[in-house]
Amino acid sequence: MNTLNALEPDRIMEALTRSRPLFHSEADFQHAFAWELHRSAPECDVRLEVPVRTTAVAIHLDLLVRSPFEQVAFELKYKTRALLTSIDGEDFVLTNQAAQDIGRYDFFKDLSRVETFSRAAPRRRGYAIFLTNDSAYWKPPSTPEHGYAGFAMNDGRHVSGTLSWGARTSEGTRRGREPEIAIRGHYLLRWKMYSNVANSSYGEFRYLCVSAAPA
């Protein structure tokens, strides 16, 4: 397998689901993803929590892969609803993280970040990946008047331009996340099945992967 294909995130996620159908935490997910990248492309340098300078700003990436041909950035999110299960003798106690409005904002902030990285120099690409067992993320808002509607992540949504909070958004939700987010590319959001680990409302995991558009 060539390096370009080895670093494709859908291929990494497909490999992970066979050995790690769920994770204890976001850090656990990031570490497992990084290890699978290393296993698939041992000739590459894989780094977690990397600061990167661009001409405009300094950004911080969850994961950066350097190959002889390119650099690939990954931003990884893992948001859960409460789930207690055991797989092959390993216990998993997932918490109810809730705060979906904030989770949506942070995902698009990730996407904006990898866009900045991808456009700052040649031979760069980046991906924003969001894994969850919370169906609220892949379902559309019940009304476009929801405060978070500008940051909706539902399956089938087309995203581009400036994203902002609606008038009904509480000050608590906005706090620390007041700025609008500029998305320079044009994206169609498509969720994919990751795993189904328990016969319960929150046993199904899906992921969203968006490839940042280059300049």
Side-chain angles (χ1 to χ4, degrees):
M1 183 185 299
N2 63 43
T3 300
L4 185 66
N5 291 335
L7 298 178
E8 286 299 322
D10 285 334
R11 199 209 64 77
I12 297 297
M13 294 296 281
E14 182 180 352
L16 277 178
T17 192
R18 294 191 289 269
S19 60
R20 296 297 310 273
L22 76 166
F23 304 92
H24 296 285
S25 64
E26 188 168 278
D28 186 27
F29 173 40
Q30 292 171 346
H31 181 270
F33 193 95
W35 178 254
E36 184 59 33
L37 282 169
H38 170 72
R39 191 195 66 78
S40 300
E43 71 279 11
C44 296
D45 293 324
V46 181
R47 299 287 185 267
L48 289 163
E49 304 294 336
V50 182
V52 177
R53 292 181 181 179
T54 70
T55 54
V57 294
I59 59 177
H60 194 276
L61 299 170
D62 288 338
L63 200 159
L64 179 64
V65 181
R66 294 185 177 93
S67 82
F69 314 104
E70 63 176 345
Q71 296 185 39
V72 187
F74 297 91
E75 287 288 290
L76 305 169
K77 287 284 187 291
Y78 182 59
K79 298 296 182 181
T80 61
R81 294 295 298 264
L83 180 67
L84 174 62
T85 191
S86 180
I87 297 178
D88 295 332
E90 183 176 5
D91 292 333
F92 291 84
V93 184
L94 304 186
T95 60
N96 186 12
Q97 296 182 350
Q100 292 92 344
D101 293 2
I102 291 173
R104 295 179 180 100
Y105 182 96
D106 290 347
F107 172 76
F108 286 113
K109 191 71 174 177
D110 283 353
L111 178 56
S112 176
R113 187 178 297 113
V114 294
E115 278 192 329
T116 298
F117 171 83
S118 299
R119 290 164 176 253
R123 298 192 301 167
R124 286 185 175 186
R125 56 187 169 117
Y127 301 90
I129 300 173
F130 193 100
L131 175 63
T132 186
N133 65 334
D134 187 346
S135 61
Y137 285 106
W138 62 73
K139 292 179 179 178
S142 58
T143 169
E145 295 178 355
H146 274 303
Y148 74 82
F151 300 104
M153 297 166 57
N154 54 283
D155 189 70
R157 184 188 179 195
H158 289 266
V159 177
S160 65
T162 301
L163 310 183
S164 59
W165 295 111
R168 295 186 179 183
T169 309
S170 70
E171 289 302 315
T173 297
R174 294 173 185 263
R175 189 170 298 118
R177 293 171 173 82
E178 294 89 353
E180 298 176 330
I181 297 177
I183 301 298
R184 287 167 285 186
H186 298 265
Y187 306 100
L188 173 62
L189 305 186
R190 287 299 189 195
W191 287 81
K192 297 182 179 181
M193 179 64 71
Y194 180 73
S195 65
N196 202 320
V197 300
N199 186 21
S200 71
S201 299
Y202 302 117
E204 179 181 312
F205 286 78
R206 298 187 190 185
Y207 75 95
L208 176 64
C209 177
V210 179
S211 173

